[in-house]
Amino acid sequence: MSIALLSSSSVRAWLCNIPRIPPSCSGPSVPPQPKTPSLALGKKRAVAVMSGSPALSDLSRLYQTEFVRSARAVGVLWAVCTLCFAIIQVVILIQPSWVGTEASLHQGRGPEPPSGTLGLFEVCVDSDWPVPECRGGLSTLSPLPSFQSVAVLVGLSLWAVWTSVLCLALFRFCSAATVYKICAWLQLTAGFCLALACLLFPDSWENPEMRALCGDQVTSFSPGRCSVHWAYILAVLGVLDAAILSTLAFVLANRQDALLPPDTKDVTTGLLMSA
């Protein structure tokens, strides 16, 4: 009887050692537990593992470095264009070349009509001397009576642009996004005032100064024998320049924080002007 039991136990042990036999032969089988992992817990663990990975840390640092380089390059270009726009505003205000006579041969028996240019503050008439004779000027701070409103609008535009230039020093003390937004609103104000000045200037042509230079055919939006000169064209281009600069400043302000990782936003304060 013992030999039969021994042989049966040996057979059972030999059968259990076969790899293809399931483990249920060694005893009662335990039903597998259903897998119910928590998705949120898995995500947290994955984020923890990824944040602790040195490769991902290096990638984040590289991403921040590339962003700062791009933002610094575009910001410097924007600042240079803003300074150039401010200088153009000064030229627009002081130059007496908004309107000028057209070059044409005089035909007739009467006296030759005068030739010259006209600006917001002075009228310059050509003479026998190389230097034209000018009446008025910026030194008196009194524009021509018919162009006072236009001069005030150009002056406001000039103030707004130069204020935005001075605000560039705030990069060392404030966040870059805040400075960009301040400069954008100032440049938008400058462009709006300059656009109003360009619209009001032709409406003010019917005045004694224009009639003396351009003839009696001068009316609003009709310069007679004169035509607009480069200062007025430069003012129109200044409106487009202000629109482009303000739009670029708004884009830089919105991208300044949005493109960086959340844990590196505080590092970008003053990066454009930092050494």
Side-chain angles (χ1 to χ4, degrees):
M1 188 70 177
S2 61
I3 296 175
L5 292 176
L6 179 61
S7 60
S8 61
S9 61
S10 300
V11 170
R12 181 178 296 227
W14 177 76
L15 290 175
C16 290
N17 289 331
I18 298 176
R20 296 180 179 272
I21 300 302
S24 59
C25 59
S26 61
S29 61
V30 179
Q33 298 294 330
K35 297 181 179 180
T36 56
S38 176
L39 185 60
L41 183 60
K43 286 185 178 181
K44 290 182 180 180
R45 290 178 178 176
V47 170
V49 172
M50 291 174 65
S51 61
S53 176
L56 292 177
S57 178
D58 295 340
L59 181 61
S60 176
R61 190 179 299 108
L62 177 62
Y63 177 79
Q64 179 186 358
T65 304
E66 292 297 329
F67 174 81
V68 170
R69 287 177 181 176
S70 302
R72 192 175 287 178
V74 178
V76 168
L77 179 62
W78 169 83
V80 171
C81 292
T82 300
L83 182 60
C84 294
F85 179 49
I87 297 174
I88 289 174
Q89 286 285 86
V90 176
V91 175
I92 290 171
L93 183 65
I94 66 176
Q95 282 297 319
S97 299
W98 284 60
V99 171
T101 55
E102 296 179 348
S104 61
L105 297 176
H106 174 62
Q107 296 178 357
R109 298 180 180 179
E112 183 178 359
S115 61
T117 57
L118 179 143
L120 301 179
F121 288 87
E122 57 184 343
V123 181
C124 296
V125 180
D126 296 336
S127 61
D128 297 334
W129 295 90
V131 180
E133 297 179 359
C134 296
R135 178 172 58 87
L138 190 61
S139 58
T140 60
L141 295 178
S142 58
L144 299 178
S146 301
F147 300 138
Q148 289 182 354
S149 59
V150 180
V152 170
L153 289 173
V154 176
L156 288 176
S157 178
L158 180 66
W159 168 83
V161 173
W162 278 102
T163 304
S164 67
V165 172
L166 295 178
C167 286
L168 296 179
L170 296 178
F171 276 113
R172 283 192 174 273
F173 310 103
C174 304
S175 64
T178 303
V179 179
Y180 279 131
K181 290 178 181 179
I182 293 174
C183 294
W185 282 112
L186 288 172
Q187 291 170 354
L188 197 62
T189 303
F192 179 74
C193 293
L194 193 59
L196 285 181
C198 292
L199 290 176
L200 290 178
F201 180 70
D203 190 46
S204 307
W205 282 348
E206 196 170 356
N207 57 73
E209 291 82 6
M210 284 285 294
R211 291 182 182 275
L213 184 64
C214 304
D216 296 334
Q217 298 84 11
V218 174
T219 58
S220 296
F221 296 95
S222 178
R225 65 184 189 89
C226 295
S227 61
V228 293
H229 272 210
W230 60 269
Y232 181 77
I233 298 174
L234 198 62
V236 175
L237 294 178
V239 176
L240 300 177
D241 193 9
I244 294 174
L245 288 176
S246 60
T247 304
L248 181 59
F250 278 123
V251 171
L252 288 173
N254 293 331
R255 294 293 182 88
Q256 189 67 28
D257 293 333
L259 291 182
L260 284 178
D263 55 345
T264 57
K265 288 183 180 180
D266 297 334
V267 186
T268 60
T269 303
L271 276 175
L272 291 179
M273 299 298 295
S274 61

